[in-house]
Amino acid sequence: MLVKEFSGKSEKEAVSKALEELNLTEDQVRIEVIDRGKQKILGFGEESPTIIRVYYEEISTNLGEFQSIVSNILKYMGVEAEVTAKEESEKRIYINISTEDSGVLIGKKGATLEALQFIISLIASKKFNDDTERHIILDVDGYRERREETLKHIARQAAQQAKKTRRVVALDPMSPYERRIIHLELQNDNDVETKSDGEPPYRSVKVYSKRKGGYNNKRYNDRGGYNKSYYRNR
């Protein structure tokens, strides 16, 4: 843990100076106000600056290198963009691309973005050639956050449908990252159960109702249809 003091006419100014100099965001530091300073009243009295103490972790990763990797790939693709990177933790790096060609980089349901993230991770791994396992999150104009909210909505709708119909609800094929969002969103719903099924790239999530007539009921098959053998054997 590193510590450094900064000063300014106000706490806001001191914090702004600190974040700019350290190239960090406010959620990456802990700030302690040492002296709130004094302001002149009607032009009288002594004036003193606000002093803050900033606690932060040393960033071992050269974020500029990651930005260069992404920028070079975009250059070869003929895409003009602004690339920013920040280290959210020692092993997690978030890279965002701001561009007017966001649709080209995202692709259908984020497929192109996932492919780019995989390629960048491979290049970075070979370039740095160390034992640190860094998880790179590549984003385009905040797409991942919007997509995550959409997936959560899809998960809740699928759960409602499964509970209402007592039948299996199969979602569209998704990446491991997206399937994980579905599983996490429904993990606390005691009335449904989720299960990944199939082989990549067609692996998807199925939502089963735990109520009578759901996942464990032999009347239905894994596709949510009626199990004909159940009725033939009765």
Side-chain angles (χ1 to χ4, degrees):
M1 178 72 72
L2 301 179
V3 182
K4 193 169 184 179
E5 292 186 358
F6 295 86
S7 63
K9 292 182 179 180
S10 64
E11 181 181 343
K12 183 178 181 180
E13 182 180 292
V15 171
S16 179
K17 284 182 179 179
L19 297 179
E20 183 177 355
E21 181 175 323
L22 298 174
N23 193 27
L24 297 173
T25 59
E26 199 162 347
D27 59 350
Q28 292 176 302
V29 301
R30 181 167 65 85
I31 298 171
E32 178 185 0
V33 179
I34 304 301
D35 188 341
R36 294 194 177 277
K38 295 180 180 179
Q39 301 293 325
K40 288 183 178 181
I41 301 176
L42 299 177
F44 296 97
E46 295 184 356
E47 187 176 54
S48 61
T50 297
I51 301 174
I52 63 171
R53 185 172 293 156
V54 180
Y55 300 84
Y56 61 99
E57 297 288 348
E58 183 177 10
I59 296 180
S60 57
T61 304
N62 188 345
L63 295 179
E65 293 284 351
F66 285 92
Q67 288 178 261
S68 296
I69 291 172
V70 177
S71 296
N72 288 335
I73 291 177
L74 296 178
K75 182 179 179 181
Y76 289 128
M77 294 176 65
V79 175
E80 293 186 4
E82 179 182 347
V83 180
T84 57
K86 66 177 181 179
E87 192 172 38
E88 297 184 330
S89 67
E90 185 180 353
K91 296 183 179 181
R92 182 183 173 93
I93 296 172
Y94 176 84
I95 303 173
N96 185 64
I97 302 171
S98 295
T99 177
E100 294 182 356
D101 298 320
S102 58
V104 175
L105 298 180
I106 294 171
K108 186 177 181 180
K109 296 183 180 179
T112 304
L113 182 59
E114 290 292 334
L116 282 172
Q117 178 174 290
F118 178 73
I119 292 171
I120 291 166
S121 297
L122 284 180
I123 295 174
S125 177
K126 292 182 178 180
K127 183 178 180 66
F128 291 104
N129 193 28
D130 56 26
D131 296 329
T132 304
E133 294 183 6
R134 299 184 181 90
H135 184 43
I136 297 175
I137 303 297
L138 185 65
D139 201 359
V140 176
D141 291 326
Y143 164 79
R144 288 196 182 277
E145 183 177 352
R146 298 193 303 274
R147 177 62 176 165
E148 183 173 332
E149 289 304 314
T150 299
L151 289 170
K152 288 180 178 179
H153 178 68
I154 290 173
R156 292 191 295 269
Q157 281 191 322
Q160 290 177 357
Q161 184 179 348
K163 286 183 280 189
K164 182 178 180 180
T165 63
R166 310 291 201 275
R167 300 179 69 176
V168 181
V169 178
L171 303 180
D172 291 336
M174 297 178 184
S175 67
Y177 169 78
E178 293 189 336
R179 293 198 305 273
R180 183 172 181 272
I181 292 174
I182 300 292
H183 291 307
L184 290 176
E185 180 65 17
L186 299 181
Q187 67 179 354
N188 294 323
D189 190 329
N190 295 325
D191 293 326
V192 297
E193 182 174 356
T194 60
K195 177 183 176 184
S196 289
D197 185 60
E199 297 295 329
Y202 305 107
R203 193 165 176 78
S204 64
V205 176
K206 290 183 177 180
V207 183
Y208 302 86
S209 172
K210 288 184 178 180
R211 298 174 181 175
K212 185 177 180 181
Y215 179 26
N216 295 319
N217 194 304
K218 296 180 180 179
R219 296 182 185 182
Y220 301 98
N221 57 36
D222 280 346
R223 294 184 296 276
Y226 289 104
N227 190 345
K228 295 180 180 179
S229 62
Y230 172 82
Y231 293 96
R232 284 199 299 266
N233 296 330
R234 288 182 64 82

